[in-house]
Amino acid sequence: MKLSQLLEDVNVLNMNAPADLEIADVCYDSRKAAPGCLFVAVTGMAVDGHKFIPAAVQAGAAAVICEQVPDCEIPYILVESSRAALAQIGANWFGHPTKEMKIIGITGTNGKTTVSYLIRDILIHALGAKVGLIGTIQNMIGDVVLETERTTPESFELQKLFRQMADAGCSHVVMEVSSHALALNRVDCVEFEVGVFTNLTQDHLDFHGNMLNYGLSKALLFQRCRHGVLNLDDESFGLMRERAMCTLNSYSAKQNDATLIAKNIRLKSDRVEMEVITGSEICRVELGIPGEFSVYNALAAVGTALCLGLPLHEIAAALKKAHGVKGRVEVVPTPDMDFTILIDYAHTPDGLENVLRSVKGFCSGRLICLFGCGGDRDPIKRPIMGEIAAKLADFVVVTSDNPRTEQPGKIIEDILQGMQDTKTPYTVIENRREAIAWAMDHAQKDDIIVLAGKGHETYQIIGHEKTHLDEREEVAAHLEVMKKEQVK
């Protein structure tokens, strides 16, 4: 592709590269640079890509996109933002695939993954559509599963993924849109049909600095979509509405002035039931995922499907067939035992509070919460989560999550600060495997153990290395140990 075609709609400040230069590939990692490529020097949070321009030149790069004139001899294109340029170049390189599909983006602190799967299920069951999925757990093209490293891929990889989805016949793509992705231009040039806002609670302040900046990043989604579906019951609804540049719809379980309203809500141990009202229509909706947050997740999915033109009764029928998401209030089999184990990804104060409150609503025994906090991440939330666990659970097991490069003991100390004044009994077991076994050994009849924080993850990050840790396997393995002990 010629350089002039790649630079279409890129905000170029200056360039000394010939417009008819033939470009063989595009990269932003100098280790992947090859003869004839266009190297985009991206300024990262830890590393400045401009430092690697000489390495890209040595590898044969034909030209570079940069925010400052290179020190070495190479044709360059000077831009204000390399990240924004990379997004536009990616869209140009892959032929603007988002114009060929309807893209639905979900943003918010909690609920993004579940809402994305619910929307996907609705589109499959109600329309028979082939759907692309991009999110925290995995990416999917129809039923084909692709592994993923981050919630929203870098812009160039994202456009490549969109092209694969369009070429595979996907008519819709449902994707989680992280605040990082919005702030770092990863979803620039993506044409969203519907944008969804779930909620805003404390998370990622190590990146955004404060809650206002975090919210403003989320609000960017509603400046690049045709329809917005917003949670009226969330405190940040006003911020999202104020910043939006699209047609807005709202949903609520508490207020009567929303576009979509849930009434007569019934929370069961294995599902939620409600009547959903929109305009003059009313329909019974049932979702087989327990917990009050499932009401909001269902409303977000219903609101999205209505924006896509689906009839309410067909949406309700599709939701009844929807399955839960791995690691989201996931019931772990415990045959022959009289206690229950749930796995949930709750790793924020709001997420932990939501899941514990929901489980408490149908727990007839003790509620045991086992959790830790991630290292190298927002330390402010650690004592807050400790306080929440102590307030809502009947017993707390404090352990490790993904300590990364921090000392696990120091993270646990931070958590315990929030539990200093509690009367709730707790124990500290740093090793997560041992902590799970201990919780199971000490469970009583009708207890529910909530393993919070890991969810779908099947690994633990200690230092810079990932080690295998699947909580389902740990539960199954210790069940065998317990059964052998019972035989003795």
Side-chain angles (χ1 to χ4, degrees), residues 140-179:
M140 299 180 73
I141 301 178
D143 294 326
V144 178
V145 175
L146 311 172
E147 293 300 319
T148 181
E149 286 293 322
R150 51 168 65 138
T151 301
T152 313
E154 188 55 77
S155 59
F156 195 78
E157 277 72 31
L158 182 60
Q159 291 292 338
K160 180 181 180 181
L161 186 55
F162 283 139
R163 173 44 60 199
Q164 290 175 305
M165 290 175 171
D167 289 349
C170 291
S171 58
H172 297 74
V173 177
V174 186
M175 65 178 295
E176 298 178 48
V177 185
S178 67
S179 57

Side-chain angles (χ1 to χ4, degrees), residues 65-116:
I65 298 280
C66 49
E67 295 175 8
Q68 56 199 45
V69 177
D71 294 331
C72 55
E73 287 294 323
I74 186 170
Y76 66 84
I77 301 94
L78 198 65
V79 297
E80 183 176 349
S81 168
S82 293
R83 286 190 176 278
L86 179 63
Q88 185 65 61
I89 287 167
N92 294 341
W93 181 264
F94 292 106
H96 300 274
T98 62
K99 293 182 178 180
E100 302 170 28
M101 303 174 289
K102 289 187 176 181
I103 316 297
I104 298 103
I106 302 106
T107 198
T109 308
N110 298 303
K112 295 189 297 296
T113 299
T114 300
V115 172
S116 67

Side-chain angles (χ1 to χ4, degrees), residues 222-236:
F222 304 101
Q223 297 174 11
R224 54 192 69 177
C225 60
R226 291 185 62 196
H227 304 281
V229 178
L230 309 179
N231 181 357
L232 181 61
D233 295 342
D234 191 84
E235 290 181 359
S236 294

Side-chain angles (χ1 to χ4, degrees), residues 260-298:
L260 192 65
I261 306 165
K263 292 286 188 181
N264 300 319
I265 298 166
R266 293 170 289 280
L267 305 178
K268 305 294 182 72
S269 61
D270 60 345
R271 66 190 185 279
V272 294
E273 299 173 355
M274 70 194 97
E275 272 76 54
V276 171
I277 304 167
T278 178
S280 60
E281 284 189 272
I282 184 168
C283 187
R284 178 187 173 90
V285 171
E286 181 179 317
L287 177 62
I289 306 172
E292 185 180 14
F293 49 82
S294 289
V295 173
Y296 284 93
N297 291 340

Side-chain angles (χ1 to χ4, degrees), residues 4-12 84-85 88-89 92 96 99 189:
S4 59
Q5 294 173 290
L6 269 181
L7 295 180
E8 187 175 340
D9 293 325
V10 174
N11 184 20
V12 175
Q88 185 65 61
I89 287 167
N92 294 341
H96 300 274
K99 293 182 178 180
C189 307

